Amino acid sequence: MTLITDVALRRVLDSRGNATVEADVYTESGGFGRARAPSGASTGEFEAIELPAHEAIASAREEAVPRLVGEVYAGNQRDVDAALHAADGTDDFSGIGANSAVALSMAAAHAAADVTGAPLFQHLGGTFRGNSFPVPLGNVIGGGEHAADATDIQEFLVAPIGAPSVEEAVFANAAVHETVADILADRGVPCGKGDEGAWAPSIDDSEAFEIVAEATDIVEDDAGFEIRFGLDVAGAELYVADAGVYEYSETTRNTDEQIAYLADLVDEYDLIYVEDPLDENDFEAFAALTDRVGDQTLICGDDLFVTNVDRLERGIEDGAANSILIKPNQIGTLSDTVDAIELGVESGYEPVISHRSGETEDTTIAHLAVAMDAPYIKTGAVGGERTAKLNELIRIEQNA
Ligand code: PGA
Ligand code: ZN
C-alpha cells in the first residue's frame, strides 16, 4: 500500500530567501507526503553536507529517485533511509546532499502517515509514544551568526516550564518576545530582528541578560506559571582556535574562563538550558562544565554532537553534556535522527528537537517532538516559518 510510485523534487524559498529542497512522495494507494529541508547559518563542522539546492536536486533525481520509485515502501522508514544512503554513497551525504536526503526522508514519512490516515506524530511514535508535549524554547534576543551588530551570545531562549499546555506556553513565549520589545523601547534601543525572529539589538550580553530576566519575570507574574530562560551560546562561532580563546566584542576568555563564566551565569540567572557553551571540538571542556552545573541545568550539545550517534557516543563516554540538540538535516534521515534521540534518552541525555535559522513552513519537527516524547522543542517565538511549527503543536495538542 505504501509502495512509492512517484517522487518530485523542486527548489523553493526558505525564510532567508535562499533556495532549499522540497520533496513530494506519492504511494500506490494514493498516499501523498511533502517536506522541505531547513538550512543552518552557524552550522557545525561535522554536519552532513548541504549542497546548493539545484545540485542536490539533480543528484537526487539521478541517484535516489530510481532507488525509491517502485522499489521501497514509504511505510518502512528504515528501507527508505537505507535507499537514500545507498544512493548517496558517502558518509556525509555529500553525494545527493543532506538537503535532498532529509526532504525525501521526511516526505516519505508524511506519505506513509497519509496512507494510514494517522497524523504524522502517531505514525512516527506508534501506540506507546506521543503522549506528552514538549516545552517550546522561544528565541527572544539574539545575535551571533543570526544578526549583525547584536549580542555575542547567539540566542536567549525563554522556557515556560510551568505552562499547563503547549498553547499557554506558546503564548507565554510570544508575550516575553513582546515585553522584551517594550523594555528595549523604554531604554531607547532601536532594533530589528535576526534570522529566527528574535530581537537583534545592539546591546552587550549583560544588558540582554537583564532585559530577558525582567521580561520573563513580568510575564511569569501575569501568566501565573514558572518561566525560566536559557541560552544557545554557539560557542564554536566565538572560539578562535589559533589563539585558544573565546572572542567577545569587549573581551576574550580562555577555556577555563569560559567555563567559569557560564557556570556563574547558570547560578546568577537560574538558567535552565545552556546549548553549545564551548567549542565543538572540546569534549573535555564540555565535561568540565557539565560536572560543575549539570545537576542544575541542561548542557546541550548542538555543533558538538550534530545529531550524530558516533559523536554522541563519545560525549556519553566523556560525560560531555546531559542533553542533545536534534536537527534532522544535520544527519540527513529520520532513521538516523531517531537513533540519536534513542541513544540520548537511554543515556540520560534529554533530546531537544530543533529548527534551523533558515526555515520553511514545514511542520515535521513539531510531529517528531511529540512522537518522541521530547521534553523541549526549539523553534522560535514569532515569524511565519516559526509559527508554522508552534501552531501545529497547538493543533496536535487539541486533537491528540
Ligand atoms: P543554525 O542555528 O540553524 O544557524 O545552525 C541554530 C542553532 O545554532 O541552534
Ligand atoms: Zn545551536
Side-chain angles (χ1 to χ4, degrees), residues 128-184:
F128 297 106
R129 275 193 179 159
N131 299 315
S132 68
F133 287 87
V135 173
L137 297 171
N139 189 356
V140 294
I141 292 187
E145 294 296 299
H146 295 169
D149 196 23
T151 53
D152 291 321
I153 290 177
Q154 183 177 281
E155 300 168 24
F156 288 77
L157 298 157
V158 180
I161 56 169
S165 64
V166 169
E167 181 195 356
E168 298 239 25
V170 164
F171 280 94
N173 283 352
V176 175
H177 187 271
E178 191 183 350
T179 306
V180 164
D182 293 343
I183 298 171
L184 287 166

Short mmCIF file of all heavy atoms in Angstrom, two decimals, residues 128-184:
data_model
loop_
_atom_site.label_atom_id
_atom_site.label_comp_id
_atom_site.label_asym_id
_atom_site.label_seq_id
_atom_site.Cartn_x
_atom_site.Cartn_y
_atom_site.Cartn_z
N PHE A 128 2.60 3.61 21.71
CA PHE A 128 3.09 3.78 23.08
C PHE A 128 3.82 5.10 23.31
O PHE A 128 4.35 5.34 24.37
CB PHE A 128 3.99 2.60 23.45
CG PHE A 128 3.24 1.31 23.46
CD1 PHE A 128 3.41 0.38 22.45
CD2 PHE A 128 2.31 1.05 24.46
CE1 PHE A 128 2.69 -0.80 22.45
CE2 PHE A 128 1.59 -0.14 24.47
CZ PHE A 128 1.77 -1.07 23.46
N ARG A 129 3.84 5.92 22.28
CA ARG A 129 4.54 7.19 22.43
C ARG A 129 3.66 8.33 21.97
O ARG A 129 2.60 8.11 21.42
CB ARG A 129 5.79 7.18 21.57
CG ARG A 129 6.97 6.56 22.24
CD ARG A 129 8.11 6.94 21.38
NE ARG A 129 9.36 6.45 21.87
CZ ARG A 129 10.41 6.31 21.08
NH1 ARG A 129 10.31 6.58 19.81
NH2 ARG A 129 11.53 5.90 21.58
N GLY A 130 4.14 9.53 22.16
CA GLY A 130 3.40 10.68 21.66
C GLY A 130 2.34 11.13 22.63
O GLY A 130 1.31 11.69 22.25
N ASN A 131 2.58 10.87 23.91
CA ASN A 131 1.56 11.22 24.90
C ASN A 131 1.94 12.45 25.72
O ASN A 131 1.18 12.88 26.57
CB ASN A 131 1.34 10.04 25.85
CG ASN A 131 0.84 8.84 25.08
OD1 ASN A 131 -0.04 8.96 24.23
ND2 ASN A 131 1.43 7.68 25.33
N SER A 132 3.12 12.98 25.49
CA SER A 132 3.48 14.19 26.23
C SER A 132 3.86 15.28 25.24
O SER A 132 4.10 15.00 24.06
CB SER A 132 4.65 13.89 27.17
OG SER A 132 5.81 13.64 26.41
N PHE A 133 3.90 16.51 25.74
CA PHE A 133 4.14 17.63 24.84
C PHE A 133 5.40 18.37 25.21
O PHE A 133 5.70 18.53 26.39
CB PHE A 133 2.93 18.57 24.84
CG PHE A 133 1.80 17.97 24.11
CD1 PHE A 133 0.90 17.14 24.75
CD2 PHE A 133 1.66 18.18 22.75
CE1 PHE A 133 -0.13 16.54 24.05
CE2 PHE A 133 0.65 17.58 22.03
CZ PHE A 133 -0.25 16.76 22.68
N PRO A 134 6.14 18.81 24.21
CA PRO A 134 7.40 19.49 24.51
C PRO A 134 7.17 20.92 24.98
O PRO A 134 6.21 21.58 24.57
CB PRO A 134 8.11 19.49 23.15
CG PRO A 134 7.00 19.51 22.15
CD PRO A 134 5.88 18.71 22.76
N VAL A 135 8.06 21.39 25.84
CA VAL A 135 8.09 22.81 26.20
C VAL A 135 8.81 23.55 25.07
O VAL A 135 9.93 23.19 24.71
CB VAL A 135 8.86 23.04 27.52
CG1 VAL A 135 9.03 24.53 27.80
CG2 VAL A 135 8.14 22.35 28.67
N PRO A 136 8.17 24.57 24.48
CA PRO A 136 8.85 25.31 23.42
C PRO A 136 9.86 26.30 23.99
O PRO A 136 9.56 27.04 24.92
CB PRO A 136 7.70 26.06 22.73
CG PRO A 136 6.64 26.19 23.76
CD PRO A 136 6.78 25.02 24.69
N LEU A 137 11.08 26.25 23.46
CA LEU A 137 12.11 27.23 23.83
C LEU A 137 12.01 28.37 22.81
O LEU A 137 12.21 28.14 21.61
CB LEU A 137 13.50 26.59 23.77
CG LEU A 137 13.74 25.43 24.74
CD1 LEU A 137 15.08 24.75 24.43
CD2 LEU A 137 13.74 25.94 26.17
N GLY A 138 11.69 29.57 23.28
CA GLY A 138 11.43 30.69 22.37
C GLY A 138 12.59 31.68 22.33
O GLY A 138 12.96 32.25 23.35
N ASN A 139 13.12 31.88 21.15
CA ASN A 139 14.26 32.79 20.96
C ASN A 139 13.75 34.24 20.98
O ASN A 139 13.00 34.63 20.09
CB ASN A 139 14.92 32.45 19.62
CG ASN A 139 16.23 33.15 19.40
OD1 ASN A 139 16.66 33.97 20.22
ND2 ASN A 139 16.88 32.85 18.29
N VAL A 140 14.16 35.03 21.98
CA VAL A 140 13.63 36.40 22.09
C VAL A 140 14.67 37.50 21.85
O VAL A 140 14.32 38.61 21.45
CB VAL A 140 12.91 36.64 23.44
CG1 VAL A 140 11.65 35.78 23.52
CG2 VAL A 140 13.82 36.40 24.64
N ILE A 141 15.95 37.22 22.15
CA ILE A 141 17.03 38.15 21.78
C ILE A 141 18.15 37.31 21.19
O ILE A 141 18.46 36.24 21.71
CB ILE A 141 17.57 38.95 22.99
CG1 ILE A 141 16.52 39.92 23.53
CG2 ILE A 141 18.83 39.74 22.59
CD1 ILE A 141 17.03 40.86 24.62
N GLY A 142 18.74 37.81 20.12
CA GLY A 142 19.82 37.02 19.53
C GLY A 142 20.75 37.83 18.67
O GLY A 142 20.46 38.95 18.27
N GLY A 143 21.89 37.23 18.43
CA GLY A 143 22.91 37.86 17.59
C GLY A 143 23.76 36.78 16.97
O GLY A 143 23.24 35.92 16.28
N GLY A 144 25.06 36.83 17.27
CA GLY A 144 25.96 35.83 16.70
C GLY A 144 25.89 35.82 15.19
O GLY A 144 25.88 36.88 14.55
N GLU A 145 25.78 34.63 14.62
CA GLU A 145 25.72 34.50 13.16
C GLU A 145 24.33 34.82 12.60
O GLU A 145 24.12 34.81 11.40
CB GLU A 145 26.08 33.06 12.74
CG GLU A 145 27.50 32.66 13.03
CD GLU A 145 28.52 33.47 12.23
OE1 GLU A 145 28.47 33.42 10.99
OE2 GLU A 145 29.35 34.17 12.85
N HIS A 146 23.37 35.07 13.49
CA HIS A 146 21.99 35.28 13.04
C HIS A 146 21.62 36.74 12.86
O HIS A 146 20.55 37.06 12.38
CB HIS A 146 21.00 34.60 14.00
CG HIS A 146 21.13 33.11 14.01
ND1 HIS A 146 20.52 32.32 14.94
CD2 HIS A 146 21.79 32.27 13.17
CE1 HIS A 146 20.80 31.05 14.69
NE2 HIS A 146 21.58 31.00 13.64
N ALA A 147 22.50 37.65 13.31
CA ALA A 147 22.22 39.08 13.18
C ALA A 147 23.52 39.84 13.39
O ALA A 147 24.27 39.53 14.32
CB ALA A 147 21.18 39.52 14.20
N ALA A 148 23.77 40.84 12.56
CA ALA A 148 25.00 41.63 12.69
C ALA A 148 24.83 42.64 13.82
O ALA A 148 23.72 43.10 14.09
CB ALA A 148 25.29 42.35 11.38
N ASP A 149 25.94 42.98 14.49
CA ASP A 149 25.95 44.08 15.44
C ASP A 149 24.93 43.91 16.57
O ASP A 149 24.28 44.87 16.97
CB ASP A 149 25.68 45.39 14.67
CG ASP A 149 26.08 46.61 15.50
OD1 ASP A 149 26.92 46.45 16.41
OD2 ASP A 149 25.51 47.69 15.27
N ALA A 150 24.75 42.68 17.04
CA ALA A 150 23.85 42.42 18.16
C ALA A 150 24.63 41.68 19.24
O ALA A 150 25.84 41.84 19.34
CB ALA A 150 22.62 41.64 17.69
N THR A 151 23.95 40.86 20.05
CA THR A 151 24.65 40.19 21.16
C THR A 151 25.69 39.19 20.64
O THR A 151 25.58 38.67 19.53
CB THR A 151 23.62 39.42 22.03
OG1 THR A 151 22.86 38.56 21.19
CG2 THR A 151 22.70 40.38 22.76
N ASP A 152 26.70 38.91 21.50
CA ASP A 152 27.68 37.88 21.16
C ASP A 152 27.07 36.50 21.29
O ASP A 152 27.30 35.62 20.46
CB ASP A 152 28.91 37.99 22.08
CG ASP A 152 29.72 39.25 21.81
OD1 ASP A 152 29.87 39.61 20.64
OD2 ASP A 152 30.20 39.86 22.79
N ILE A 153 26.32 36.31 22.39
CA ILE A 153 25.61 35.04 22.58
C ILE A 153 24.52 34.96 21.51
O ILE A 153 23.78 35.91 21.29
CB ILE A 153 25.03 34.95 24.01
CG1 ILE A 153 26.19 34.77 25.01
CG2 ILE A 153 24.00 33.82 24.13
CD1 ILE A 153 25.79 34.75 26.47
N GLN A 154 24.45 33.80 20.84
CA GLN A 154 23.57 33.71 19.67
C GLN A 154 22.08 33.77 20.01
O GLN A 154 21.30 34.38 19.27
CB GLN A 154 23.87 32.41 18.93
CG GLN A 154 23.08 32.21 17.65
CD GLN A 154 23.48 30.93 16.94
OE1 GLN A 154 24.51 30.89 16.27
NE2 GLN A 154 22.70 29.88 17.08
N GLU A 155 21.67 33.13 21.12
CA GLU A 155 20.22 33.08 21.40
C GLU A 155 19.94 33.13 22.89
O GLU A 155 20.56 32.40 23.67
CB GLU A 155 19.63 31.76 20.85
CG GLU A 155 19.82 31.61 19.35
CD GLU A 155 19.51 30.19 18.85
OE1 GLU A 155 18.74 29.46 19.52
OE2 GLU A 155 20.07 29.83 17.80
N PHE A 156 18.99 33.98 23.27
CA PHE A 156 18.40 33.98 24.62
C PHE A 156 17.03 33.34 24.49
O PHE A 156 16.16 33.86 23.78
CB PHE A 156 18.31 35.41 25.16
CG PHE A 156 19.65 36.01 25.52
CD1 PHE A 156 20.50 36.47 24.52
CD2 PHE A 156 20.07 36.08 26.83
CE1 PHE A 156 21.75 37.00 24.84
CE2 PHE A 156 21.31 36.61 27.16
CZ PHE A 156 22.16 37.07 26.16
N LEU A 157 16.85 32.20 25.16
CA LEU A 157 15.69 31.33 24.91
C LEU A 157 14.79 31.23 26.13
O LEU A 157 15.22 30.79 27.20
CB LEU A 157 16.21 29.92 24.57
CG LEU A 157 17.06 29.81 23.31
CD1 LEU A 157 17.96 28.58 23.37
CD2 LEU A 157 16.18 29.77 22.07
N VAL A 158 13.55 31.61 25.96
CA VAL A 158 12.58 31.54 27.05
C VAL A 158 12.03 30.12 27.17
O VAL A 158 11.74 29.48 26.16
CB VAL A 158 11.42 32.52 26.80
CG1 VAL A 158 10.40 32.45 27.94
CG2 VAL A 158 11.95 33.92 26.66
N ALA A 159 11.89 29.65 28.42
CA ALA A 159 11.40 28.29 28.66
C ALA A 159 10.24 28.34 29.66
O ALA A 159 10.47 28.41 30.87
CB ALA A 159 12.52 27.42 29.21
N PRO A 160 9.01 28.32 29.17
CA PRO A 160 7.85 28.39 30.07
C PRO A 160 7.55 27.02 30.68
O PRO A 160 6.55 26.38 30.36
CB PRO A 160 6.73 28.88 29.15
CG PRO A 160 7.13 28.42 27.79
CD PRO A 160 8.62 28.29 27.75
N ILE A 161 8.42 26.59 31.59
CA ILE A 161 8.37 25.19 32.04
C ILE A 161 7.14 24.85 32.88
O ILE A 161 6.79 23.70 33.01
CB ILE A 161 9.64 24.78 32.83
CG1 ILE A 161 9.86 25.72 34.01
CG2 ILE A 161 10.86 24.74 31.95
CD1 ILE A 161 10.93 25.21 34.97
N GLY A 162 6.51 25.88 33.44
CA GLY A 162 5.33 25.60 34.26
C GLY A 162 4.02 25.69 33.51
O GLY A 162 2.94 25.51 34.10
N ALA A 163 4.07 25.93 32.23
CA ALA A 163 2.83 26.13 31.46
C ALA A 163 1.98 24.86 31.49
O ALA A 163 2.52 23.76 31.31
CB ALA A 163 3.15 26.51 30.02
N PRO A 164 0.68 25.00 31.68
CA PRO A 164 -0.17 23.82 31.75
C PRO A 164 -0.46 23.20 30.38
O PRO A 164 -0.97 22.08 30.31
CB PRO A 164 -1.46 24.36 32.37
CG PRO A 164 -1.46 25.83 32.08
CD PRO A 164 -0.03 26.25 32.00
N SER A 165 -0.15 23.90 29.31
CA SER A 165 -0.41 23.36 27.97
C SER A 165 0.57 23.96 26.99
O SER A 165 1.19 25.00 27.26
CB SER A 165 -1.84 23.71 27.52
OG SER A 165 -1.97 25.12 27.41
N VAL A 166 0.71 23.31 25.83
CA VAL A 166 1.54 23.88 24.77
C VAL A 166 1.01 25.24 24.36
O VAL A 166 1.76 26.19 24.14
CB VAL A 166 1.57 22.94 23.54
CG1 VAL A 166 2.19 23.64 22.34
CG2 VAL A 166 2.33 21.67 23.84
N GLU A 167 -0.31 25.30 24.27
CA GLU A 167 -0.93 26.55 23.84
C GLU A 167 -0.51 27.71 24.75
O GLU A 167 -0.07 28.76 24.29
CB GLU A 167 -2.45 26.37 23.85
CG GLU A 167 -3.20 27.60 23.39
CD GLU A 167 -4.69 27.53 23.76
OE1 GLU A 167 -5.14 26.51 24.30
OE2 GLU A 167 -5.37 28.54 23.53
N GLU A 168 -0.61 27.50 26.06
CA GLU A 168 -0.23 28.56 27.01
C GLU A 168 1.26 28.86 26.91
O GLU A 168 1.69 30.01 27.05
CB GLU A 168 -0.58 28.14 28.43
CG GLU A 168 -2.07 27.91 28.60
CD GLU A 168 -2.68 28.80 29.66
OE1 GLU A 168 -2.12 29.88 29.93
OE2 GLU A 168 -3.71 28.41 30.21
N ALA A 169 2.04 27.83 26.70
CA ALA A 169 3.49 28.01 26.60
C ALA A 169 3.86 28.86 25.39
O ALA A 169 4.69 29.78 25.47
CB ALA A 169 4.19 26.65 26.53
N VAL A 170 3.22 28.56 24.27
CA VAL A 170 3.50 29.29 23.03
C VAL A 170 3.15 30.76 23.19
O VAL A 170 3.91 31.66 22.78
CB VAL A 170 2.70 28.64 21.87
CG1 VAL A 170 2.63 29.56 20.66
CG2 VAL A 170 3.31 27.28 21.50
N PHE A 171 2.00 31.02 23.83
CA PHE A 171 1.60 32.42 24.01
C PHE A 171 2.47 33.13 25.05
O PHE A 171 2.72 34.33 24.94
CB PHE A 171 0.10 32.51 24.34
CG PHE A 171 -0.74 32.40 23.09
CD1 PHE A 171 -1.25 31.18 22.68
CD2 PHE A 171 -0.97 33.51 22.29
CE1 PHE A 171 -1.99 31.06 21.51
CE2 PHE A 171 -1.70 33.41 21.12
CZ PHE A 171 -2.22 32.18 20.72
N ALA A 172 2.96 32.39 26.03
CA ALA A 172 3.87 32.99 27.02
C ALA A 172 5.16 33.44 26.32
O ALA A 172 5.67 34.54 26.58
CB ALA A 172 4.18 32.00 28.13
N ASN A 173 5.68 32.60 25.45
CA ASN A 173 6.90 32.98 24.73
C ASN A 173 6.68 34.22 23.87
O ASN A 173 7.53 35.11 23.82
CB ASN A 173 7.40 31.82 23.87
CG ASN A 173 8.10 30.75 24.68
OD1 ASN A 173 8.36 30.94 25.87
ND2 ASN A 173 8.40 29.62 24.05
N ALA A 174 5.55 34.25 23.20
CA ALA A 174 5.24 35.43 22.38
C ALA A 174 5.11 36.67 23.26
O ALA A 174 5.55 37.77 22.88
CB ALA A 174 3.96 35.20 21.58
N ALA A 175 4.54 36.50 24.45
CA ALA A 175 4.39 37.65 25.38
C ALA A 175 5.76 38.13 25.86
O ALA A 175 5.99 39.35 25.98
CB ALA A 175 3.51 37.25 26.56
N VAL A 176 6.67 37.21 26.14
CA VAL A 176 8.02 37.62 26.54
C VAL A 176 8.70 38.36 25.39
O VAL A 176 9.34 39.41 25.58
CB VAL A 176 8.88 36.42 27.01
CG1 VAL A 176 10.30 36.87 27.31
CG2 VAL A 176 8.27 35.76 28.24
N HIS A 177 8.53 37.84 24.18
CA HIS A 177 9.10 38.49 22.99
C HIS A 177 8.60 39.93 22.90
O HIS A 177 9.39 40.87 22.69
CB HIS A 177 8.70 37.67 21.76
CG HIS A 177 9.34 38.11 20.47
ND1 HIS A 177 8.78 39.06 19.66
CD2 HIS A 177 10.51 37.73 19.87
CE1 HIS A 177 9.56 39.24 18.59
NE2 HIS A 177 10.61 38.44 18.70
N GLU A 178 7.32 40.13 23.10
CA GLU A 178 6.73 41.47 23.02
C GLU A 178 7.21 42.35 24.18
O GLU A 178 7.49 43.54 24.01
CB GLU A 178 5.21 41.35 23.04
CG GLU A 178 4.51 42.64 22.69
CD GLU A 178 2.99 42.54 22.79
OE1 GLU A 178 2.46 41.42 22.94
OE2 GLU A 178 2.35 43.60 22.73
N THR A 179 7.30 41.75 25.38
CA THR A 179 7.74 42.52 26.55
C THR A 179 9.19 42.96 26.40
O THR A 179 9.56 44.07 26.80
CB THR A 179 7.55 41.67 27.83
OG1 THR A 179 6.19 41.23 27.87
CG2 THR A 179 7.86 42.46 29.08
N VAL A 180 10.00 42.11 25.81
CA VAL A 180 11.40 42.50 25.53
C VAL A 180 11.42 43.74 24.64
O VAL A 180 12.19 44.68 24.87
CB VAL A 180 12.16 41.32 24.86
CG1 VAL A 180 13.46 41.80 24.21
CG2 VAL A 180 12.45 40.22 25.88
N ALA A 181 10.55 43.76 23.64
CA ALA A 181 10.49 44.93 22.74
C ALA A 181 10.09 46.18 23.52
O ALA A 181 10.65 47.27 23.30
CB ALA A 181 9.49 44.68 21.61
N ASP A 182 9.15 46.05 24.45
CA ASP A 182 8.72 47.20 25.26
C ASP A 182 9.89 47.72 26.10
O ASP A 182 10.09 48.93 26.21
CB ASP A 182 7.57 46.80 26.20
CG ASP A 182 6.30 46.46 25.43
OD1 ASP A 182 6.20 46.83 24.25
OD2 ASP A 182 5.42 45.79 26.02
N ILE A 183 10.62 46.81 26.71
CA ILE A 183 11.75 47.23 27.56
C ILE A 183 12.83 47.90 26.71
O ILE A 183 13.39 48.93 27.10
CB ILE A 183 12.32 46.01 28.34
CG1 ILE A 183 11.24 45.42 29.26
CG2 ILE A 183 13.56 46.42 29.14
CD1 ILE A 183 11.64 44.08 29.91
N LEU A 184 13.10 47.33 25.56
CA LEU A 184 14.09 47.95 24.66
C LEU A 184 13.65 49.35 24.26
O LEU A 184 14.45 50.29 24.24
CB LEU A 184 14.29 47.07 23.41
CG LEU A 184 15.08 45.78 23.62
CD1 LEU A 184 14.92 44.85 22.42
CD2 LEU A 184 16.57 46.07 23.85
#
